[in-house]
Amino acid sequence: MRHSAKSALYATATLVLLSGTATADVKVGVITGATGPGASLGIPYKNTFSALPATLGGEPVTYIVLDDATDPATAARLARKLVSEDHVDLLIGSGNVPTASAISYVASETKTPQIALSPLSGEPAKNPWVFSVSLPTTLQLGAVADDIKARNAKTVGYIGFSDGWGDQVYAALMSHAAAAGYTVVTNERYARLDTSVVSQALKVIAAKPDAVVLGGSGTPGALPHTTLVERGYKGQIYHSAAVVNPDFLRIGGKALQGALVAAGPVVVVSQLPDNSPTKKPGLDFGRAYDAKFGANTNNSFSAYSWDAYLIADRAVNVARAKAKPGTPEFREALRDAMEGTTELRGAQGVYTMSASDHAGSDKRAVVLLRIVDGAWKLAQ
């Protein structure tokens, strides 16, 4: 059954977007989890590539968009195919930590630059070919820790995925504990496909924490929240940016009222002050995406794909003066150009890369949202 599903992916889930001509010079391989448990994130990540201009850095471009079904092994296999058979100049994706991490090994081995759409914690010195456009987890949890400190909360419970994403959120939560003055009293985990987290929620409630931080993503990220509320937990509940989409609000319903979420600014772009550096890029992105898919259809994840495009657009324009697309020299020049990104204003942040920082975001990339009556509101 599993083998058949993966085979079907190759047969039916490959989407080639020819934004230029058949002889386009720049090739970009895009991998997202448009099916599987990460689909609520993967679909908007994927959709953005249908709304992009026909050129990248002034060159015609071909985007080859593939679906990894939220499976790390499939993501790695597709990345290898894109490099060895399609000879792409750049890899973009995937949309969650385990799949993006799987692609990063291929990027390193083949010396192909990658822009991950989820936060990777790798060190540029160890893998200089991987960049990440998503909001770093330490920045997200920094905003959460500031709010916990402001509330004078002293104990925090944690429930997260039993994979790399859950590990990242927990590590970031712990990294801010001493400075914010709280102690993390539980570390409960669940799998993305689990249908119940009652036992984990009861353990958290028994520990009586002042607040709870949840390390899930997409629609599966709503499960521990609704369970905690159903079982009577009354404290403040926090989420990461990985839950910011309409399906999460729909699945969580009224139980999510009052939840706080650390996220990129685009989801509340109309509520940002006019002097915000991300307001104009965020509005520009929203108009382009909504023109393709309908009014108010853009979301936080589709915006990260847009920012990946902005970074690549600038870098290709620099690299094409040094080498020809389709060559190892161009891929290296493209990597170097991305590392030289400085104060690039995107929909979700202002990016400045360096040899030691391949995420390039700062506090301008994070806001705290409050869920009120099924909608996102700017909390601070």
Side-chain angles (χ1 to χ4, degrees), residues 95-170:
N96 64 63
V97 169
T99 50
S101 181
I103 294 169
S104 72
Y105 292 103
V106 179
S108 176
E109 176 189 329
T110 62
K111 299 187 185 308
T112 304
Q114 173 196 2
I115 303 177
L117 297 173
S118 58
L120 293 181
S121 59
E123 300 176 27
K126 294 181 179 178
N127 189 348
W129 296 91
V130 177
F131 298 78
S132 176
V133 75
S134 187
L135 180 60
T137 317
T138 51
L139 281 179
Q140 299 179 41
L141 272 294
V144 169
D146 288 346
D147 193 78
I148 291 173
K149 183 178 182 180
R151 294 171 185 272
N152 200 32
K154 298 300 182 184
T155 55
V156 177
Y158 179 74
I159 307 177
F161 282 159
S162 54
D163 60 22
W165 177 239
D167 294 345
Q168 269 202 36
V169 177
Y170 181 74

Side-chain angles (χ1 to χ4, degrees), residues 7-143:
S7 299
L9 283 173
Y10 282 101
T12 63
T14 300
L15 174 63
V16 178
L17 302 174
L18 295 176
S19 294
T21 68
T23 57
D25 288 329
V26 178
K27 285 187 177 181
V28 179
V30 179
I31 302 173
T32 70
T35 58
S40 66
L41 287 63
I43 291 171
Y45 277 135
K46 179 196 72 174
N47 285 348
T48 298
F49 294 92
S50 299
L52 296 180
T55 60
L56 190 66
E59 298 285 347
V61 60
T62 297
Y63 293 103
I64 304 172
V65 184
L66 303 177
D67 174 17
D68 63 26
T70 326
D71 178 72
T74 302
R77 187 164 57 253
L78 294 178
R80 198 169 297 282
K81 174 182 179 297
L82 286 166
V83 173
S84 63
E85 297 180 19
D86 299 302
H87 307 293
V88 299
D89 299 294
L90 170 67
L91 292 165
I92 296 179
S94 184
N96 64 63
V97 169
T99 50
S101 181
I103 294 169
S104 72
Y105 292 103
V106 179
S108 176
E109 176 189 329
T110 62
K111 299 187 185 308
T112 304
Q114 173 196 2
I115 303 177
L117 297 173
S118 58
L120 293 181
S121 59
E123 300 176 27
K126 294 181 179 178
N127 189 348
W129 296 91
V130 177
F131 298 78
S132 176
V133 75
S134 187
L135 180 60
T137 317
T138 51
L139 281 179
Q140 299 179 41
L141 272 294

Side-chain angles (χ1 to χ4, degrees), residues 38-380:
S40 66
L41 287 63
I43 291 171
Y45 277 135
K46 179 196 72 174
N47 285 348
T48 298
F49 294 92
S50 299
L52 296 180
T55 60
L56 190 66
E59 298 285 347
V61 60
T62 297
Y63 293 103
I64 304 172
V65 184
L66 303 177
D67 174 17
D68 63 26
T70 326
D71 178 72
T74 302
R77 187 164 57 253
L78 294 178
R80 198 169 297 282
K81 174 182 179 297
L82 286 166
V83 173
S84 63
E85 297 180 19
D86 299 302
H87 307 293
V88 299
D89 299 294
L90 170 67
L91 292 165
I92 296 179
S94 184
N96 64 63
V97 169
T99 50
S101 181
I103 294 169
S104 72
Y105 292 103
V106 179
S108 176
E109 176 189 329
T110 62
K111 299 187 185 308
T112 304
Q114 173 196 2
I115 303 177
L117 297 173
S118 58
L120 293 181
S121 59
E123 300 176 27
K126 294 181 179 178
N127 189 348
W129 296 91
V130 177
F131 298 78
S132 176
V133 75
S134 187
L135 180 60
T137 317
T138 51
L139 281 179
Q140 299 179 41
L141 272 294
V144 169
D146 288 346
D147 193 78
I148 291 173
K149 183 178 182 180
R151 294 171 185 272
N152 200 32
K154 298 300 182 184
T155 55
V156 177
Y158 179 74
I159 307 177
F161 282 159
S162 54
D163 60 22
W165 177 239
D167 294 345
Q168 269 202 36
V169 177
Y170 181 74
L173 176 65
M174 293 296 293
S175 73
H176 294 289
Y182 59 77
T183 300
V184 181
V185 296
T186 68
N187 181 12
E188 295 297 319
R189 304 301 184 97
Y190 69 110
R192 293 173 186 255
L193 295 177
D194 283 353
T195 57
S196 173
V197 293
V198 170
S199 63
Q200 295 93 327
L202 290 176
K203 289 178 182 177
V204 169
I205 292 171
K208 300 180 179 180
D210 297 324
V212 174
V213 173
L214 300 179
S217 70
T219 51
L223 181 60
H225 192 127
T226 56
T227 305
L228 284 166
V229 172
E230 288 168 0
R231 299 289 168 164
Y233 183 70
K234 302 294 185 184
Q236 182 63 55
I237 300 176
Y238 298 88
H239 291 266
S240 74
V243 301
V244 183
N245 69 21
D247 286 338
F248 172 79
L249 296 177
R250 175 179 56 81
I251 293 294
K254 294 181 178 178
L256 299 178
Q257 182 76 8
L260 290 172
V261 183
V266 78
V267 72
V268 289
V269 64
S270 64
Q271 302 171 40
L272 297 175
D274 290 341
N275 64 354
S276 168
T278 61
K279 185 159 189 172
K280 181 181 183 305
L283 291 172
D284 291 344
F285 152 72
R287 283 191 288 269
Y289 190 96
D290 291 355
K292 179 73 177 181
F293 295 101
N296 301 317
T297 54
N298 73 87
N299 71 16
S300 185
F301 301 105
S302 51
Y304 283 119
S305 292
W306 180 266
D307 284 359
Y309 150 73
L310 293 177
I311 291 170
D313 185 61
R314 176 204 161 276
V316 167
N317 191 38
V318 174
R320 67 175 181 161
K322 299 179 179 179
K324 182 180 179 181
T327 66
E329 292 78 12
F330 181 76
R331 293 197 293 274
E332 183 170 0
L334 187 57
R335 192 215 72 84
D336 291 347
M338 287 199 292
E339 199 169 76
T341 301
T342 303
E343 284 289 296
L344 188 151
R345 295 188 176 196
Q348 291 282 58
V350 181
Y351 302 93
T352 296
M353 307 288 187
S354 69
S356 60
D357 184 359
H358 279 196
S361 295
D362 56 26
K363 287 190 174 181
R364 293 174 289 183
V366 60
V367 296
L368 205 57
L369 310 176
R370 186 184 302 281
I371 298 175
V372 180
D373 298 332
W376 308 106
K377 302 295 183 183
L378 184 63
Q380 65 180 42

